[in-house]
Amino acid sequence: MARDTIAILDFGSQYTQLIARRLRELQVYSEILPPATKIGPLKARGVKGIVLSGGPDSVYSKTAPKFDKKIFSADVPVLGICYGMQLMGYVLGAEVKPSGSREFGHALLQVKNGSRLLKGVASPAPVWMSHGDAIARPPKGFVVTASTANTAVAAMENAKRGLFAIQFHPEVNHTRDGMAVLASFLEACGCARDWNAASFIDQAVERVRVAVGKGRVICALSGGVDSSVAALLVHKAIGDRLDCVFVDNGLLRKDEGAQVSRRFADRLQLRVHSVDASRRFLSALKDVSDPEKKRKVIGKEFIDVFAAAARKLGKPAFLAQGTLYPDVIESVSVHGPSVVIKSHHNVGGLPKKLGFKLVEPLRELFKDEVRAVGLRLGLDEEFVYRQPFPGPGLAVRCLGPLTRDRLDLLREADDILVREIKAAGLYRRLWQSFAVLLPVRSVGVMGDYRTYQYALAIRAVESADGMTADWARLPHDLLARISSRITNEVRGINRVVYDISSKPPSTIEWE
């Protein structure tokens, strides 16, 4: 079944993903594409509207991204945002100039002239601006529909042609009526607004059935929400022709292997093959302290263990992976991928040489959409809202050389931390909360005895997407209770410290 789609041409704005998320919140599927995407393929796919994102360039810059000017005469509604507005104006004959007074931040929007796009905006309206250039004179046939104290043409439109442009960012929370603006654009596009978890599941299941045919699928099940929801979708499509492999690498949280087995094999009726490779992983990691080397060792061992499990299962033709839309977007970014600070937390995709055909049922979804689909498929909230856990597991939270004894200390301390965070009702509010065992010992005293034991760091952060994060201001009595329990109940730890670093300059994980 065809679905209404809005194409977002990405000119490099920091908010491009947020535009896509907001349109999806309004129940219309949106897709981020390179700026040079041609109108022909877009029309062939039945795209109902096009959004031109913001971006860092000037329309006069030699490095400005190329794009297809025919989008403005293709009888498809177009919304230009910030740089997208300037680009629309420039191509259609407007006068674009450096703004006499640049606007970065809050502004008050005055709406006028009966705008179709801004009909849901109560004037004056707080909006979020971020621009240097501005439209000085609109193109022929356009009506100025809004202004601010510093920008005479803050919005313009040619409603007859379905061309709309705004200098402010409707996708950010600082713009009060931003969702109303986007909803008006969707109305102009004639979108049905029926994109939701239920409709996605129906379409995804059908696509998996068609792709797999009568074949069999294998899935690396970690217990995280991405691989779990991917497995449930594939299972709904092909039933017992899906085999899930759960690898216990000795770097998991307390009782994690048993939880995964109970939940997915016993309750959700997936075929789960558990492989205890903990001894193998720990042997390969002996005396390894460098975090990047840990990741590489873990990645190699995982591939070898998974490949062996696949051979025992008769080498299914297809591999299911929990690839998400942000991973896909990186390949179409106008400015290319960011500098690598460290290898990705997840082990990553298995190499092509293993010969699997990929099945990626979640590659259209953001994380919050994956969670909604998981709930719809019957996955418990405990798993759906589980905090992100790095692919290398506790290896990057147990700093320095890894031993089974040190990992066991970390497991016990981390379990206490998570239980107390949940008991305080804070688990869902936090992006991540976890313990880090430090490779240092400190002097302490317990009773009448001197101790010389490990120090443990607690990390708790709040974030919307993990790209930036702020340390969580946990209640002092909660921190005191966590510290007291850990130092009393975990023999080998006599000091607990709290990490108050934000991202940036720090990362969320310590390694």
Side-chain angles (χ1 to χ4, degrees), residues 381-399:
E381 286 194 8
E382 175 189 358
F383 280 86
V384 169
Y385 292 105
R386 211 169 198 186
Q387 294 175 356
F389 186 61
L394 298 182
V396 292
R397 294 179 180 174
C398 186
L399 308 194

Side-chain angles (χ1 to χ4, degrees), residues 278-325:
S278 55
R279 187 171 297 177
R280 171 176 180 159
F281 276 82
L282 293 181
S283 176
L285 288 163
K286 185 179 180 182
D287 298 326
V288 177
S289 296
D290 179 78
E292 282 301 296
K293 190 171 181 182
K294 286 180 182 177
R295 283 183 169 82
K296 290 176 181 176
V297 169
I298 293 166
K300 178 185 179 303
E301 293 301 319
F302 178 84
I303 289 167
D304 292 345
V305 170
F306 187 83
R311 286 194 295 270
K312 287 184 180 180
L313 293 169
K315 188 69 182 303
F318 296 89
L319 169 69
Q321 290 192 153
T323 306
L324 301 191
Y325 195 41

